[in-house]
Amino acid sequence: MATRPTDISLTPTRAARTSRWFVLQYRMAPYLFVSPFLILFFTFGAYPIVKSLILAFYATNGPKSAVFVGLQNFIFLFSDRDFHKAVWNTAVFAFWSVFLQLPLSLGLALLLNSRWVRGRELLRLAFFSPNLLGQVFVGVLFSVLFIPQYGLVNRFLHFIAGVPLDTKWLANPNLVMPALVLTSLWMYVGFNMIYFLAALQAVDKDLYEAATVDGANAWHQFWAVTLPGIKPVAVFVLVMSTIGSFQLFELPWIMLNNSAGPDQAGLTIVMYLYQTGFVTGDLGYASTVGWTLALGVLLISLFQMRVTGAWKGGD
């Protein structure tokens, strides 16, 4: 009985402490939930980005030897013939990949969106499945398919067009880029087809019925109904395909036996970055190449969005 007054006097204090603890938990809970993401982002995202930006102003010989050179890396980049070669090869690959890949993907999507095509689900899976293999496996696969004499590509082209069986796709500088583009088409046409297919299925069917009532044929419906309906997805696919093309590395690296190929015909910007940073050991110049690539891709993407009208938003 002697302790009862004491218990009564402590109750408000305990209640206040409990209240403050709950308030503290309430305020700190959001930060605790997002802290794993923030730790991982700053460790593996923000820190490498900032570090690479700093390295771009240094000449390095491995990770421990670095000398500040200011803008000399960027100045040298504009006179570096190997970098120019890499930019040209990458731009040619991106041009042909995008302007062949997207029409083929859209055509396949239109075909497999038609009701009269039987086995559409199986065909969609068949066209999409090459993307599940990964660039390394596809590179190994096509390096075998392009083998002279016995490769299936030469045998098929010899059968339909009389192309010589000893055609050396990966040893002839003029044929390296077509081989890379063909491989890329096989891998990504079905992947982009899925985007277009989803966009086509979202177009309002009433618009087609109204266009038919107005006398529009299939060609007019495609330009007046289909294209405006899938425009946001088409712009997205265009921008992402361009960015992916400028990041090309694994396919030529594997198909050309860990090299840039004959006369550097398969040298891409990312491959040049890799060779400079991890073969030569100049991480500073490799960072300069990387930042130049990033700024170039950003400008190209903004230009595409401006030209296609996606910059305005809301369409």
Side-chain angles (χ1 to χ4, degrees):
M1 295 299 292
T3 59
R4 187 174 180 77
T6 305
D7 291 340
I8 294 175
S9 63
L10 287 176
T11 299
T13 304
R14 288 178 179 176
R17 288 176 180 176
T18 302
S19 177
R20 285 197 296 272
W21 173 242
F22 277 109
V23 170
L24 182 63
Q25 285 183 319
Y26 181 78
R27 291 178 177 177
M28 294 300 295
Y31 300 101
L32 291 175
F33 279 117
V34 300
S35 60
F37 165 76
L38 293 177
I39 292 172
L40 292 175
F41 172 75
F42 282 108
T43 303
F44 299 104
Y47 174 73
I49 290 174
V50 174
K51 183 66 175 178
S52 68
L53 180 60
I54 296 172
L55 274 177
F57 298 96
Y58 282 82
T60 65
N61 185 15
K64 295 183 178 179
S65 176
V67 177
F68 182 76
V69 294
L71 295 175
Q72 290 301 316
N73 284 339
F74 291 94
I75 295 173
F76 178 74
L77 193 69
F78 289 102
S79 61
D80 185 356
R81 292 184 178 180
D82 290 337
F83 179 72
H84 296 168
K85 182 75 173 179
V87 171
W88 173 255
N89 289 339
T90 308
V92 170
F93 175 82
F95 177 84
W96 288 113
S97 293
V98 170
F99 285 94
L100 289 176
Q101 194 180 109
L102 299 192
L104 287 174
S105 299
L106 179 57
L108 271 180
L110 289 169
L111 180 66
L112 298 183
N113 195 44
S114 303
R115 296 179 180 177
W116 55 269
V117 176
R118 295 183 178 180
R120 288 180 297 174
E121 290 76 12
L122 183 61
L123 291 174
R124 291 170 186 172
L125 176 62
F127 284 114
F128 177 75
S129 58
N131 190 260
L132 301 175
L133 301 177
Q135 290 195 23
V136 174
F137 185 86
V138 173
V140 174
L141 176 64
F142 271 81
S143 63
V144 175
L145 293 178
F146 282 121
I147 289 177
Q149 299 292 344
Y150 306 106
L152 290 180
V153 174
N154 277 349
R155 288 191 170 274
F156 176 72
L157 293 177
H158 180 74
F159 176 75
I160 64 170
V163 174
L165 286 173
D166 60 348
T167 302
K168 299 176 181 177
W169 287 85
L170 304 179
N172 186 338
N174 297 322
L175 297 179
V176 168
M177 191 54 65
L180 294 176
V181 172
L182 284 174
T183 307
S184 173
L185 290 178
W186 184 80
M187 189 171 181
Y188 291 111
V189 164
F191 179 75
N192 290 323
M193 175 201 71
I194 297 298
Y195 286 111
F196 286 122
L197 199 57
L200 288 172
Q201 293 176 353
V203 177
D204 191 354
K205 300 297 183 297
D206 293 339
L207 296 176
Y208 290 105
E209 295 177 3
T212 303
V213 171
D214 291 339
N217 57 28
W219 181 251
H220 293 151
Q221 290 181 17
F222 175 76
W223 285 102
V225 178
T226 304
L227 272 186
I230 66 171
K231 181 180 176 181
V233 174
V235 174
F236 171 78
V237 173
L238 172 66
V239 173
M240 295 306 295
S241 297
T242 305
I243 294 174
S245 297
F246 275 89
Q247 293 176 336
L248 179 69
F249 173 65
E250 292 95 335
L251 275 183
W253 188 251
I254 297 297
M255 293 174 66
L256 300 173
N257 197 21
N258 299 343
S259 71
D263 196 23
Q264 294 189 325
L267 182 67
T268 64
I269 300 176
V270 177
M271 186 189 294
Y272 185 56
L273 185 155
Y274 175 79
Q275 290 178 333
T276 305
F278 298 99
V279 178
T280 307
D282 192 349
L283 297 174
Y285 191 59
S287 298
T288 306
V289 174
W291 274 99
T292 304
L293 172 63
L295 292 175
V297 169
L298 175 63
L299 291 176
I300 292 172
S301 301
L302 293 176
F303 175 76
Q304 289 176 327
M305 295 176 67
R306 180 76 177 182
V307 170
T308 56
W311 185 265
K312 300 175 183 177
D315 292 341

